[in-house]
Amino acid sequence: MMTNFLEASWKNLIMANYEIEPELLLPYIPKGTKLDFYNGKTFVSLVGFLFSDTRVFNIPIPYFGTFEEVNLRFYVTRQQGQETKRGVVFINEVVPGKIVAWLANHLYKEHYKSMPTKRRWETNSRVKKIGYEWKTGKDWNKIYVEAEAVTSEIATASFEEFILEHYYGYTKINDTATEEYTVNHIRWMVNQVNYYEIKCDFEFMYGPEFNILNKVEPHSVFLAEGSEVSVKWERKRF
């Protein structure tokens, strides 16, 4: 059995999903994978969540083990024999801790940035008000939702399933090498979002090709409850 490198809880994941032209994602696709489509369309997701109770090789991480993360990701598949592996690729990930960002970038060639972050959580029996903010220069970006407190299961073959049900991550090391890793978690429950606010300078955060996202509304926004998550130590390079 492969050893768990990292274990943590991912809580209250806001997913703002944007339809995007597939050509814009071509430079980011890791070798050996292909873009994943839903009803013939490609998507990126702006994701905010709480990364908590982090353990590395089952050792708790004091002081640095709970933090906000915001990332932009898209969806790919890899065909391996008869198995179709559905995975995610991260364009950029923001965390507050410089040490966390440095380790991820240098150990795994990820694309982390360190920025000040904060969160807003207000919950009661009827509603969940969940927000995450990250600071660029003097400005605070944010992603915020108000959602039903009651959770529901993800419907089979739904858009929520397409976005949330991925158990592989792929990292583009360079034009000729890709690394694959496994992420394990239960099937998440979701909350119906009734209101959202998004303030994100996509061009500043992710590059000029994503400026288009500053001018459009997301295709959908939903809130996932989250769960315990584990990431295996072994990474396959191909």
Side-chain angles (χ1 to χ4, degrees):
M1 182 177 295
M2 291 184 293
T3 302
N4 286 337
F5 163 61
L6 182 143
E7 297 171 299
S9 291
W10 292 358
K11 299 178 179 178
N12 288 326
L13 295 93
I14 303 175
M15 319 286 294
N17 311 296
Y18 293 82
E19 184 180 344
I20 194 168
E21 292 297 324
E23 290 77 13
L24 294 179
L25 297 175
L26 293 180
Y28 300 93
I29 300 174
K31 178 180 177 288
T33 69
K34 297 180 179 180
L35 284 176
D36 201 1
F37 292 83
Y38 184 81
N39 290 342
K41 299 177 180 179
T42 51
F43 293 88
V44 295
S45 298
L46 180 66
V47 183
F49 67 102
L50 184 69
F51 206 121
S52 69
D53 304 318
T54 305
R55 301 174 300 282
V56 175
F57 293 122
N58 207 34
I59 300 174
I61 307 300
Y63 306 111
F64 302 106
T66 297
F67 51 88
E68 300 83 10
E69 177 173 323
V70 177
N71 64 62
L72 188 71
R73 70 185 202 174
F74 68 96
Y75 306 94
V76 298
T77 62
R78 181 192 178 205
Q79 196 67 35
Q80 190 170 22
Q82 298 300 311
E83 181 184 7
T84 300
K85 296 181 174 181
R86 301 185 62 242
V88 301
V89 178
F90 294 100
I91 294 172
N92 177 273
E93 298 171 79
V94 168
V95 293
K98 293 182 179 179
I99 294 176
V100 173
W102 186 89
L103 285 173
N105 292 337
H106 284 75
L107 285 178
Y108 293 122
K109 308 300 182 183
E110 296 288 357
H111 310 288
Y112 274 78
K113 289 184 180 179
S114 174
M115 296 180 180
T117 65
K118 58 185 178 181
R119 66 183 179 272
R120 172 190 174 186
W121 283 13
E122 297 177 31
T123 63
N124 57 43
S125 60
R126 296 181 300 103
V127 66
K128 296 176 74 171
K129 298 180 180 180
I130 306 294
Y132 302 98
E133 299 186 40
W134 63 104
K135 193 175 185 181
T136 57
K138 296 181 180 180
D139 298 322
W140 283 92
N141 297 259
K142 72 175 178 179
I143 183 169
Y144 169 81
V145 299
E146 295 179 7
E148 301 289 335
V150 63
T151 58
S152 59
E153 294 183 357
I154 301 171
T156 301
S158 65
F159 184 70
E160 287 84 356
E161 184 181 66
F162 171 79
I163 294 294
L164 292 173
E165 289 295 291
H166 297 85
Y167 297 95
Y168 294 94
Y170 293 98
T171 302
K172 182 176 182 178
I173 303 301
N174 52 46
D175 289 340
T176 61
T178 297
E179 285 192 348
E180 174 191 277
Y181 56 94
T182 305
V183 181
N184 293 317
H185 61 78
I186 63 172
R187 189 176 174 92
W188 287 333
M189 305 289 283
V190 293
N191 306 83
Q192 178 181 318
V193 171
N194 298 320
Y195 173 80
Y196 68 83
E197 293 181 28
I198 299 172
K199 179 185 177 184
C200 176
D201 187 339
F202 284 95
E203 181 174 3
F204 178 88
M205 288 294 301
Y206 308 113
E209 60 269 39
F210 295 102
N211 178 56
I212 184 85
L213 301 182
N214 288 326
K215 306 170 186 177
V216 298
E217 291 295 315
H219 165 277
S220 58
V221 179
F222 48 84
L223 179 68
E225 191 172 42
S227 69
E228 288 284 319
V229 173
S230 62
V231 179
K232 297 299 182 183
W233 170 249
E234 181 183 5
R235 289 195 170 213
K236 298 178 181 178
R237 182 172 290 207
F238 55 90

